[in-house]
Amino acid sequence: QVQLVESGGGLVQPGGSLRLSCAASGSIFGINAMGWYRQAPGKQRELVAIISSGGSTNYRDSVKGRFTISRDNAKNTVYLQMNSLKPEDTTVYYCNAKIIPSWTEKNVYDYWGQGTQVTVSS
């Protein structure tokens, strides 16, 4: 059983910063890419940022220069540092990890965190 537990969401004023964390635990042999997504009510979930096991990163255009994704492989944890936050960043953020559960498993499985609310408002 694999769990992803997120933390760090909350309420912040425009221009402020938040740092999201997501720790994976359980039966884990290896983790490929880890990422952050967000989903507003009635809309599709969208990719915010993704980081490979080797540290390569990719961001959606609207967050480039403001958000930074990083990971600590020893802790199976991914972070999202969000600076210069805007009201349009308000929504629920989900972490994702592509995990190989055991050394005998050839498939990679998608796991999701429970979601954390980020609200940017004055």
PDB file of all heavy atoms in Angstrom, residues 85-121:
ATOM      1  N   LEU A  85       2.270  34.721  -5.494  1.00  0.00           N
ATOM      2  CA  LEU A  85       0.977  34.078  -5.739  1.00  0.00           C
ATOM      3  C   LEU A  85      -0.078  35.079  -6.177  1.00  0.00           C
ATOM      4  O   LEU A  85      -0.092  36.244  -5.731  1.00  0.00           O
ATOM      5  CB  LEU A  85       0.518  33.337  -4.490  1.00  0.00           C
ATOM      6  CG  LEU A  85       1.205  31.975  -4.289  1.00  0.00           C
ATOM      7  CD1 LEU A  85       1.105  31.508  -2.855  1.00  0.00           C
ATOM      8  CD2 LEU A  85       0.602  30.950  -5.231  1.00  0.00           C
ATOM      9  N   LYS A  86      -0.956  34.617  -7.052  1.00  0.00           N
ATOM     10  CA  LYS A  86      -2.022  35.443  -7.617  1.00  0.00           C
ATOM     11  C   LYS A  86      -3.381  34.827  -7.262  1.00  0.00           C
ATOM     12  O   LYS A  86      -3.471  33.615  -7.051  1.00  0.00           O
ATOM     13  CB  LYS A  86      -1.876  35.504  -9.139  1.00  0.00           C
ATOM     14  CG  LYS A  86      -0.536  36.005  -9.629  1.00  0.00           C
ATOM     15  CD  LYS A  86      -0.447  35.936 -11.149  1.00  0.00           C
ATOM     16  CE  LYS A  86       0.898  36.431 -11.653  1.00  0.00           C
ATOM     17  NZ  LYS A  86       0.988  36.372 -13.138  1.00  0.00           N
ATOM     18  N   PRO A  87      -4.423  35.609  -7.255  1.00  0.00           N
ATOM     19  CA  PRO A  87      -5.756  35.049  -6.976  1.00  0.00           C
ATOM     20  C   PRO A  87      -6.127  33.890  -7.915  1.00  0.00           C
ATOM     21  O   PRO A  87      -6.803  32.946  -7.481  1.00  0.00           O
ATOM     22  CB  PRO A  87      -6.677  36.250  -7.184  1.00  0.00           C
ATOM     23  CG  PRO A  87      -5.833  37.426  -6.835  1.00  0.00           C
ATOM     24  CD  PRO A  87      -4.457  37.075  -7.332  1.00  0.00           C
ATOM     25  N   GLU A  88      -5.667  33.945  -9.147  1.00  0.00           N
ATOM     26  CA  GLU A  88      -5.995  32.866 -10.087  1.00  0.00           C
ATOM     27  C   GLU A  88      -5.264  31.561  -9.780  1.00  0.00           C
ATOM     28  O   GLU A  88      -5.541  30.534 -10.402  1.00  0.00           O
ATOM     29  CB  GLU A  88      -5.707  33.298 -11.531  1.00  0.00           C
ATOM     30  CG  GLU A  88      -4.335  33.873 -11.772  1.00  0.00           C
ATOM     31  CD  GLU A  88      -4.326  35.395 -11.735  1.00  0.00           C
ATOM     32  OE1 GLU A  88      -4.988  35.991 -10.832  1.00  0.00           O
ATOM     33  OE2 GLU A  88      -3.642  35.994 -12.595  1.00  0.00           O
ATOM     34  N   ASP A  89      -4.336  31.570  -8.824  1.00  0.00           N
ATOM     35  CA  ASP A  89      -3.706  30.329  -8.377  1.00  0.00           C
ATOM     36  C   ASP A  89      -4.565  29.595  -7.348  1.00  0.00           C
ATOM     37  O   ASP A  89      -4.234  28.474  -6.944  1.00  0.00           O
ATOM     38  CB  ASP A  89      -2.339  30.621  -7.742  1.00  0.00           C
ATOM     39  CG  ASP A  89      -1.334  31.181  -8.727  1.00  0.00           C
ATOM     40  OD1 ASP A  89      -1.276  30.682  -9.876  1.00  0.00           O
ATOM     41  OD2 ASP A  89      -0.606  32.129  -8.363  1.00  0.00           O
ATOM     42  N   THR A  90      -5.656  30.220  -6.931  1.00  0.00           N
ATOM     43  CA  THR A  90      -6.534  29.626  -5.932  1.00  0.00           C
ATOM     44  C   THR A  90      -7.213  28.381  -6.476  1.00  0.00           C
ATOM     45  O   THR A  90      -7.899  28.431  -7.495  1.00  0.00           O
ATOM     46  CB  THR A  90      -7.607  30.639  -5.496  1.00  0.00           C
ATOM     47  OG1 THR A  90      -6.968  31.741  -4.838  1.00  0.00           O
ATOM     48  CG2 THR A  90      -8.611  29.996  -4.550  1.00  0.00           C
ATOM     49  N   THR A  91      -7.010  27.265  -5.812  1.00  0.00           N
ATOM     50  CA  THR A  91      -7.682  26.010  -6.130  1.00  0.00           C
ATOM     51  C   THR A  91      -7.100  24.905  -5.254  1.00  0.00           C
ATOM     52  O   THR A  91      -6.284  25.175  -4.379  1.00  0.00           O
ATOM     53  CB  THR A  91      -7.533  25.657  -7.613  1.00  0.00           C
ATOM     54  OG1 THR A  91      -8.418  24.553  -7.920  1.00  0.00           O
ATOM     55  CG2 THR A  91      -6.115  25.261  -7.971  1.00  0.00           C
ATOM     56  N   VAL A  92      -7.498  23.671  -5.515  1.00  0.00           N
ATOM     57  CA  VAL A  92      -6.946  22.512  -4.806  1.00  0.00           C
ATOM     58  C   VAL A  92      -5.758  21.959  -5.589  1.00  0.00           C
ATOM     59  O   VAL A  92      -5.850  21.758  -6.803  1.00  0.00           O
ATOM     60  CB  VAL A  92      -8.011  21.417  -4.609  1.00  0.00           C
ATOM     61  CG1 VAL A  92      -7.412  20.225  -3.872  1.00  0.00           C
ATOM     62  CG2 VAL A  92      -9.210  21.967  -3.839  1.00  0.00           C
ATOM     63  N   TYR A  93      -4.670  21.719  -4.869  1.00  0.00           N
ATOM     64  CA  TYR A  93      -3.451  21.195  -5.473  1.00  0.00           C
ATOM     65  C   TYR A  93      -3.259  19.737  -5.057  1.00  0.00           C
ATOM     66  O   TYR A  93      -3.441  19.378  -3.880  1.00  0.00           O
ATOM     67  CB  TYR A  93      -2.242  22.017  -5.038  1.00  0.00           C
ATOM     68  CG  TYR A  93      -2.178  23.365  -5.720  1.00  0.00           C
ATOM     69  CD1 TYR A  93      -3.095  24.371  -5.400  1.00  0.00           C
ATOM     70  CD2 TYR A  93      -1.220  23.640  -6.697  1.00  0.00           C
ATOM     71  CE1 TYR A  93      -3.060  25.596  -6.045  1.00  0.00           C
ATOM     72  CE2 TYR A  93      -1.178  24.859  -7.341  1.00  0.00           C
ATOM     73  CZ  TYR A  93      -2.111  25.830  -7.010  1.00  0.00           C
ATOM     74  OH  TYR A  93      -2.064  27.049  -7.651  1.00  0.00           O
ATOM     75  N   TYR A  94      -2.891  18.907  -6.034  1.00  0.00           N
ATOM     76  CA  TYR A  94      -2.694  17.472  -5.807  1.00  0.00           C
ATOM     77  C   TYR A  94      -1.273  17.082  -6.204  1.00  0.00           C
ATOM     78  O   TYR A  94      -0.778  17.503  -7.253  1.00  0.00           O
ATOM     79  CB  TYR A  94      -3.662  16.658  -6.653  1.00  0.00           C
ATOM     80  CG  TYR A  94      -5.116  16.876  -6.344  1.00  0.00           C
ATOM     81  CD1 TYR A  94      -5.833  17.885  -6.986  1.00  0.00           C
ATOM     82  CD2 TYR A  94      -5.787  16.065  -5.431  1.00  0.00           C
ATOM     83  CE1 TYR A  94      -7.178  18.092  -6.715  1.00  0.00           C
ATOM     84  CE2 TYR A  94      -7.131  16.257  -5.150  1.00  0.00           C
ATOM     85  CZ  TYR A  94      -7.822  17.271  -5.790  1.00  0.00           C
ATOM     86  OH  TYR A  94      -9.147  17.468  -5.527  1.00  0.00           O
ATOM     87  N   CYS A  95      -0.642  16.265  -5.399  1.00  0.00           N
ATOM     88  CA  CYS A  95       0.643  15.720  -5.830  1.00  0.00           C
ATOM     89  C   CYS A  95       0.419  14.360  -6.487  1.00  0.00           C
ATOM     90  O   CYS A  95      -0.572  13.669  -6.210  1.00  0.00           O
ATOM     91  CB  CYS A  95       1.629  15.611  -4.683  1.00  0.00           C
ATOM     92  SG  CYS A  95       1.279  14.358  -3.471  1.00  0.00           S
ATOM     93  N   ASN A  96       1.344  14.011  -7.342  1.00  0.00           N
ATOM     94  CA  ASN A  96       1.289  12.752  -8.085  1.00  0.00           C
ATOM     95  C   ASN A  96       2.677  12.129  -8.086  1.00  0.00           C
ATOM     96  O   ASN A  96       3.675  12.845  -8.184  1.00  0.00           O
ATOM     97  CB  ASN A  96       0.827  13.016  -9.515  1.00  0.00           C
ATOM     98  CG  ASN A  96       0.974  11.803 -10.406  1.00  0.00           C
ATOM     99  OD1 ASN A  96       2.005  11.606 -11.044  1.00  0.00           O
ATOM    100  ND2 ASN A  96      -0.051  10.978 -10.445  1.00  0.00           N
ATOM    101  N   ALA A  97       2.717  10.828  -7.995  1.00  0.00           N
ATOM    102  CA  ALA A  97       3.999  10.121  -8.084  1.00  0.00           C
ATOM    103  C   ALA A  97       3.806   8.860  -8.911  1.00  0.00           C
ATOM    104  O   ALA A  97       2.789   8.160  -8.762  1.00  0.00           O
ATOM    105  CB  ALA A  97       4.513   9.771  -6.694  1.00  0.00           C
ATOM    106  N   LYS A  98       4.754   8.601  -9.762  1.00  0.00           N
ATOM    107  CA  LYS A  98       4.744   7.387 -10.595  1.00  0.00           C
ATOM    108  C   LYS A  98       5.683   6.392  -9.937  1.00  0.00           C
ATOM    109  O   LYS A  98       6.896   6.543  -9.997  1.00  0.00           O
ATOM    110  CB  LYS A  98       5.142   7.745 -12.015  1.00  0.00           C
ATOM    111  CG  LYS A  98       4.207   8.820 -12.599  1.00  0.00           C
ATOM    112  CD  LYS A  98       4.436   9.096 -14.041  1.00  0.00           C
ATOM    113  CE  LYS A  98       3.560  10.269 -14.514  1.00  0.00           C
ATOM    114  NZ  LYS A  98       2.129  10.061 -14.230  1.00  0.00           N
ATOM    115  N   ILE A  99       5.094   5.373  -9.315  1.00  0.00           N
ATOM    116  CA  ILE A  99       5.806   4.509  -8.374  1.00  0.00           C
ATOM    117  C   ILE A  99       5.876   3.070  -8.853  1.00  0.00           C
ATOM    118  O   ILE A  99       4.891   2.522  -9.376  1.00  0.00           O
ATOM    119  CB  ILE A  99       5.122   4.587  -6.992  1.00  0.00           C
ATOM    120  CG1 ILE A  99       5.321   5.997  -6.404  1.00  0.00           C
ATOM    121  CG2 ILE A  99       5.663   3.531  -6.042  1.00  0.00           C
ATOM    122  CD1 ILE A  99       4.612   6.238  -5.098  1.00  0.00           C
ATOM    123  N   ILE A 100       7.053   2.471  -8.664  1.00  0.00           N
ATOM    124  CA  ILE A 100       7.240   1.035  -8.852  1.00  0.00           C
ATOM    125  C   ILE A 100       7.159   0.411  -7.463  1.00  0.00           C
ATOM    126  O   ILE A 100       8.028   0.669  -6.622  1.00  0.00           O
ATOM    127  CB  ILE A 100       8.603   0.747  -9.499  1.00  0.00           C
ATOM    128  CG1 ILE A 100       8.746   1.539 -10.803  1.00  0.00           C
ATOM    129  CG2 ILE A 100       8.788  -0.741  -9.727  1.00  0.00           C
ATOM    130  CD1 ILE A 100      10.159   1.548 -11.341  1.00  0.00           C
ATOM    131  N   PRO A 101       6.149  -0.393  -7.181  1.00  0.00           N
ATOM    132  CA  PRO A 101       5.926  -0.864  -5.806  1.00  0.00           C
ATOM    133  C   PRO A 101       6.971  -1.850  -5.285  1.00  0.00           C
ATOM    134  O   PRO A 101       7.257  -1.857  -4.089  1.00  0.00           O
ATOM    135  CB  PRO A 101       4.546  -1.531  -5.873  1.00  0.00           C
ATOM    136  CG  PRO A 101       3.903  -0.980  -7.089  1.00  0.00           C
ATOM    137  CD  PRO A 101       5.030  -0.723  -8.057  1.00  0.00           C
ATOM    138  N   SER A 102       7.517  -2.695  -6.158  1.00  0.00           N
ATOM    139  CA  SER A 102       8.480  -3.689  -5.677  1.00  0.00           C
ATOM    140  C   SER A 102       9.446  -4.043  -6.793  1.00  0.00           C
ATOM    141  O   SER A 102       9.190  -3.766  -7.965  1.00  0.00           O
ATOM    142  CB  SER A 102       7.759  -4.943  -5.181  1.00  0.00           C
ATOM    143  OG  SER A 102       7.244  -5.661  -6.279  1.00  0.00           O
ATOM    144  N   TRP A 103      10.548  -4.721  -6.424  1.00  0.00           N
ATOM    145  CA  TRP A 103      11.563  -5.026  -7.429  1.00  0.00           C
ATOM    146  C   TRP A 103      11.086  -6.083  -8.419  1.00  0.00           C
ATOM    147  O   TRP A 103      11.648  -6.236  -9.498  1.00  0.00           O
ATOM    148  CB  TRP A 103      12.860  -5.466  -6.752  1.00  0.00           C
ATOM    149  CG  TRP A 103      12.800  -6.808  -6.094  1.00  0.00           C
ATOM    150  CD1 TRP A 103      12.329  -7.106  -4.860  1.00  0.00           C
ATOM    151  CD2 TRP A 103      13.247  -8.049  -6.666  1.00  0.00           C
ATOM    152  NE1 TRP A 103      12.438  -8.451  -4.614  1.00  0.00           N
ATOM    153  CE2 TRP A 103      13.004  -9.055  -5.683  1.00  0.00           C
ATOM    154  CE3 TRP A 103      13.813  -8.411  -7.875  1.00  0.00           C
ATOM    155  CZ2 TRP A 103      13.318 -10.396  -5.909  1.00  0.00           C
ATOM    156  CZ3 TRP A 103      14.137  -9.752  -8.092  1.00  0.00           C
ATOM    157  CH2 TRP A 103      13.881 -10.727  -7.116  1.00  0.00           C
ATOM    158  N   THR A 104      10.029  -6.806  -8.070  1.00  0.00           N
ATOM    159  CA  THR A 104       9.472  -7.808  -8.968  1.00  0.00           C
ATOM    160  C   THR A 104       8.411  -7.222  -9.900  1.00  0.00           C
ATOM    161  O   THR A 104       7.951  -7.891 -10.818  1.00  0.00           O
ATOM    162  CB  THR A 104       8.823  -8.944  -8.171  1.00  0.00           C
ATOM    163  OG1 THR A 104       7.775  -8.399  -7.350  1.00  0.00           O
ATOM    164  CG2 THR A 104       9.860  -9.621  -7.280  1.00  0.00           C
ATOM    165  N   GLU A 105       8.037  -5.956  -9.661  1.00  0.00           N
ATOM    166  CA  GLU A 105       6.966  -5.318 -10.424  1.00  0.00           C
ATOM    167  C   GLU A 105       7.553  -4.589 -11.620  1.00  0.00           C
ATOM    168  O   GLU A 105       8.479  -3.787 -11.466  1.00  0.00           O
ATOM    169  CB  GLU A 105       6.216  -4.339  -9.516  1.00  0.00           C
ATOM    170  CG  GLU A 105       5.118  -3.571 -10.196  1.00  0.00           C
ATOM    171  CD  GLU A 105       4.015  -4.484 -10.702  1.00  0.00           C
ATOM    172  OE1 GLU A 105       3.268  -5.035  -9.883  1.00  0.00           O
ATOM    173  OE2 GLU A 105       3.907  -4.631 -11.944  1.00  0.00           O
ATOM    174  N   LYS A 106       7.000  -4.847 -12.795  1.00  0.00           N
ATOM    175  CA  LYS A 106       7.508  -4.197 -13.997  1.00  0.00           C
ATOM    176  C   LYS A 106       6.721  -2.947 -14.354  1.00  0.00           C
ATOM    177  O   LYS A 106       7.171  -2.134 -15.173  1.00  0.00           O
ATOM    178  CB  LYS A 106       7.497  -5.178 -15.162  1.00  0.00           C
ATOM    179  CG  LYS A 106       8.417  -6.362 -14.957  1.00  0.00           C
ATOM    180  CD  LYS A 106       8.358  -7.333 -16.113  1.00  0.00           C
ATOM    181  CE  LYS A 106       9.283  -8.521 -15.869  1.00  0.00           C
ATOM    182  NZ  LYS A 106       9.200  -9.534 -16.932  1.00  0.00           N
ATOM    183  N   ASN A 107       5.547  -2.798 -13.769  1.00  0.00           N
ATOM    184  CA  ASN A 107       4.704  -1.654 -14.106  1.00  0.00           C
ATOM    185  C   ASN A 107       4.940  -0.480 -13.162  1.00  0.00           C
ATOM    186  O   ASN A 107       5.356  -0.656 -12.020  1.00  0.00           O
ATOM    187  CB  ASN A 107       3.225  -2.045 -14.046  1.00  0.00           C
ATOM    188  CG  ASN A 107       2.861  -3.050 -15.112  1.00  0.00           C
ATOM    189  OD1 ASN A 107       3.391  -2.989 -16.218  1.00  0.00           O
ATOM    190  ND2 ASN A 107       1.978  -3.970 -14.779  1.00  0.00           N
ATOM    191  N   VAL A 108       4.646   0.697 -13.699  1.00  0.00           N
ATOM    192  CA  VAL A 108       4.694   1.922 -12.906  1.00  0.00           C
ATOM    193  C   VAL A 108       3.257   2.374 -12.670  1.00  0.00           C
ATOM    194  O   VAL A 108       2.463   2.430 -13.614  1.00  0.00           O
ATOM    195  CB  VAL A 108       5.479   3.025 -13.639  1.00  0.00           C
ATOM    196  CG1 VAL A 108       5.508   4.309 -12.816  1.00  0.00           C
ATOM    197  CG2 VAL A 108       6.899   2.546 -13.930  1.00  0.00           C
ATOM    198  N   TYR A 109       2.932   2.700 -11.448  1.00  0.00           N
ATOM    199  CA  TYR A 109       1.564   3.057 -11.088  1.00  0.00           C
ATOM    200  C   TYR A 109       1.493   4.518 -10.662  1.00  0.00           C
ATOM    201  O   TYR A 109       2.407   5.037 -10.020  1.00  0.00           O
ATOM    202  CB  TYR A 109       1.047   2.163  -9.956  1.00  0.00           C
ATOM    203  CG  TYR A 109       0.955   0.708 -10.328  1.00  0.00           C
ATOM    204  CD1 TYR A 109       2.018  -0.158 -10.110  1.00  0.00           C
ATOM    205  CD2 TYR A 109      -0.195   0.207 -10.927  1.00  0.00           C
ATOM    206  CE1 TYR A 109       1.948  -1.491 -10.454  1.00  0.00           C
ATOM    207  CE2 TYR A 109      -0.284  -1.134 -11.285  1.00  0.00           C
ATOM    208  CZ  TYR A 109       0.789  -1.980 -11.048  1.00  0.00           C
ATOM    209  OH  TYR A 109       0.714  -3.288 -11.408  1.00  0.00           O
ATOM    210  N   ASP A 110       0.362   5.140 -11.007  1.00  0.00           N
ATOM    211  CA  ASP A 110       0.090   6.515 -10.595  1.00  0.00           C
ATOM    212  C   ASP A 110      -0.555   6.535  -9.216  1.00  0.00           C
ATOM    213  O   ASP A 110      -1.553   5.845  -8.979  1.00  0.00           O
ATOM    214  CB  ASP A 110      -0.880   7.186 -11.576  1.00  0.00           C
ATOM    215  CG  ASP A 110      -0.163   7.960 -12.649  1.00  0.00           C
ATOM    216  OD1 ASP A 110       0.953   8.439 -12.394  1.00  0.00           O
ATOM    217  OD2 ASP A 110      -0.739   8.110 -13.741  1.00  0.00           O
ATOM    218  N   TYR A 111      -0.010   7.343  -8.333  1.00  0.00           N
ATOM    219  CA  TYR A 111      -0.609   7.558  -7.023  1.00  0.00           C
ATOM    220  C   TYR A 111      -0.835   9.058  -6.840  1.00  0.00           C
ATOM    221  O   TYR A 111      -0.057   9.887  -7.325  1.00  0.00           O
ATOM    222  CB  TYR A 111       0.282   7.023  -5.902  1.00  0.00           C
ATOM    223  CG  TYR A 111       0.367   5.520  -5.881  1.00  0.00           C
ATOM    224  CD1 TYR A 111       1.351   4.855  -6.594  1.00  0.00           C
ATOM    225  CD2 TYR A 111      -0.552   4.770  -5.159  1.00  0.00           C
ATOM    226  CE1 TYR A 111       1.432   3.466  -6.589  1.00  0.00           C
ATOM    227  CE2 TYR A 111      -0.486   3.382  -5.138  1.00  0.00           C
ATOM    228  CZ  TYR A 111       0.505   2.738  -5.864  1.00  0.00           C
ATOM    229  OH  TYR A 111       0.561   1.360  -5.852  1.00  0.00           O
ATOM    230  N   TRP A 112      -1.905   9.363  -6.083  1.00  0.00           N
ATOM    231  CA  TRP A 112      -2.297  10.759  -5.876  1.00  0.00           C
ATOM    232  C   TRP A 112      -2.425  11.078  -4.391  1.00  0.00           C
ATOM    233  O   TRP A 112      -2.837  10.229  -3.594  1.00  0.00           O
ATOM    234  CB  TRP A 112      -3.649  11.023  -6.549  1.00  0.00           C
ATOM    235  CG  TRP A 112      -3.586  10.957  -8.039  1.00  0.00           C
ATOM    236  CD1 TRP A 112      -3.802   9.862  -8.830  1.00  0.00           C
ATOM    237  CD2 TRP A 112      -3.274  12.033  -8.934  1.00  0.00           C
ATOM    238  NE1 TRP A 112      -3.652  10.190 -10.150  1.00  0.00           N
ATOM    239  CE2 TRP A 112      -3.324  11.522 -10.237  1.00  0.00           C
ATOM    240  CE3 TRP A 112      -2.956  13.384  -8.755  1.00  0.00           C
ATOM    241  CZ2 TRP A 112      -3.066  12.314 -11.370  1.00  0.00           C
ATOM    242  CZ3 TRP A 112      -2.706  14.168  -9.870  1.00  0.00           C
ATOM    243  CH2 TRP A 112      -2.759  13.628 -11.152  1.00  0.00           C
ATOM    244  N   GLY A 113      -2.090  12.313  -4.057  1.00  0.00           N
ATOM    245  CA  GLY A 113      -2.350  12.791  -2.718  1.00  0.00           C
ATOM    246  C   GLY A 113      -3.818  13.165  -2.557  1.00  0.00           C
ATOM    247  O   GLY A 113      -4.586  13.133  -3.521  1.00  0.00           O
ATOM    248  N   GLN A 114      -4.181  13.545  -1.351  1.00  0.00           N
ATOM    249  CA  GLN A 114      -5.575  13.830  -1.032  1.00  0.00           C
ATOM    250  C   GLN A 114      -5.996  15.238  -1.461  1.00  0.00           C
ATOM    251  O   GLN A 114      -7.197  15.539  -1.477  1.00  0.00           O
ATOM    252  CB  GLN A 114      -5.821  13.654   0.481  1.00  0.00           C
ATOM    253  CG  GLN A 114      -5.347  14.811   1.353  1.00  0.00           C
ATOM    254  CD  GLN A 114      -3.853  14.827   1.627  1.00  0.00           C
ATOM    255  OE1 GLN A 114      -3.083  14.045   1.074  1.00  0.00           O
ATOM    256  NE2 GLN A 114      -3.438  15.733   2.508  1.00  0.00           N
ATOM    257  N   GLY A 115      -5.047  16.063  -1.799  1.00  0.00           N
ATOM    258  CA  GLY A 115      -5.354  17.435  -2.205  1.00  0.00           C
ATOM    259  C   GLY A 115      -5.206  18.404  -1.052  1.00  0.00           C
ATOM    260  O   GLY A 115      -5.523  18.079   0.095  1.00  0.00           O
ATOM    261  N   THR A 116      -4.706  19.584  -1.355  1.00  0.00           N
ATOM    262  CA  THR A 116      -4.572  20.630  -0.345  1.00  0.00           C
ATOM    263  C   THR A 116      -5.051  21.950  -0.952  1.00  0.00           C
ATOM    264  O   THR A 116      -4.714  22.279  -2.091  1.00  0.00           O
ATOM    265  CB  THR A 116      -3.133  20.730   0.173  1.00  0.00           C
ATOM    266  OG1 THR A 116      -3.068  21.672   1.245  1.00  0.00           O
ATOM    267  CG2 THR A 116      -2.144  21.140  -0.913  1.00  0.00           C
ATOM    268  N   GLN A 117      -5.836  22.684  -0.199  1.00  0.00           N
ATOM    269  CA  GLN A 117      -6.427  23.923  -0.700  1.00  0.00           C
ATOM    270  C   GLN A 117      -5.435  25.071  -0.589  1.00  0.00           C
ATOM    271  O   GLN A 117      -4.831  25.290   0.475  1.00  0.00           O
ATOM    272  CB  GLN A 117      -7.695  24.263   0.092  1.00  0.00           C
ATOM    273  CG  GLN A 117      -8.337  25.583  -0.285  1.00  0.00           C
ATOM    274  CD  GLN A 117      -8.985  25.546  -1.660  1.00  0.00           C
ATOM    275  OE1 GLN A 117      -9.660  24.582  -2.028  1.00  0.00           O
ATOM    276  NE2 GLN A 117      -8.796  26.616  -2.444  1.00  0.00           N
ATOM    277  N   VAL A 118      -5.291  25.789  -1.683  1.00  0.00           N
ATOM    278  CA  VAL A 118      -4.502  27.027  -1.703  1.00  0.00           C
ATOM    279  C   VAL A 118      -5.458  28.162  -2.055  1.00  0.00           C
ATOM    280  O   VAL A 118      -6.141  28.112  -3.085  1.00  0.00           O
ATOM    281  CB  VAL A 118      -3.355  26.947  -2.723  1.00  0.00           C
ATOM    282  CG1 VAL A 118      -2.705  28.316  -2.900  1.00  0.00           C
ATOM    283  CG2 VAL A 118      -2.329  25.916  -2.277  1.00  0.00           C
ATOM    284  N   THR A 119      -5.516  29.166  -1.194  1.00  0.00           N
ATOM    285  CA  THR A 119      -6.387  30.318  -1.415  1.00  0.00           C
ATOM    286  C   THR A 119      -5.563  31.591  -1.370  1.00  0.00           C
ATOM    287  O   THR A 119      -4.864  31.846  -0.385  1.00  0.00           O
ATOM    288  CB  THR A 119      -7.496  30.380  -0.354  1.00  0.00           C
ATOM    289  OG1 THR A 119      -8.258  29.166  -0.377  1.00  0.00           O
ATOM    290  CG2 THR A 119      -8.430  31.556  -0.625  1.00  0.00           C
ATOM    291  N   VAL A 120      -5.633  32.348  -2.455  1.00  0.00           N
ATOM    292  CA  VAL A 120      -4.895  33.611  -2.558  1.00  0.00           C
ATOM    293  C   VAL A 120      -5.926  34.737  -2.586  1.00  0.00           C
ATOM    294  O   VAL A 120      -6.649  34.908  -3.562  1.00  0.00           O
ATOM    295  CB  VAL A 120      -4.010  33.647  -3.812  1.00  0.00           C
ATOM    296  CG1 VAL A 120      -3.173  34.929  -3.816  1.00  0.00           C
ATOM    297  CG2 VAL A 120      -3.122  32.424  -3.876  1.00  0.00           C
ATOM    298  N   SER A 121      -5.967  35.485  -1.500  1.00  0.00           N
ATOM    299  CA  SER A 121      -6.998  36.520  -1.376  1.00  0.00           C
ATOM    300  C   SER A 121      -6.557  37.567  -0.361  1.00  0.00           C
ATOM    301  O   SER A 121      -5.874  37.262   0.616  1.00  0.00           O
ATOM    302  CB  SER A 121      -8.325  35.893  -0.928  1.00  0.00           C
ATOM    303  OG  SER A 121      -9.293  36.891  -0.700  1.00  0.00           O
TER     304      SER A 121
END
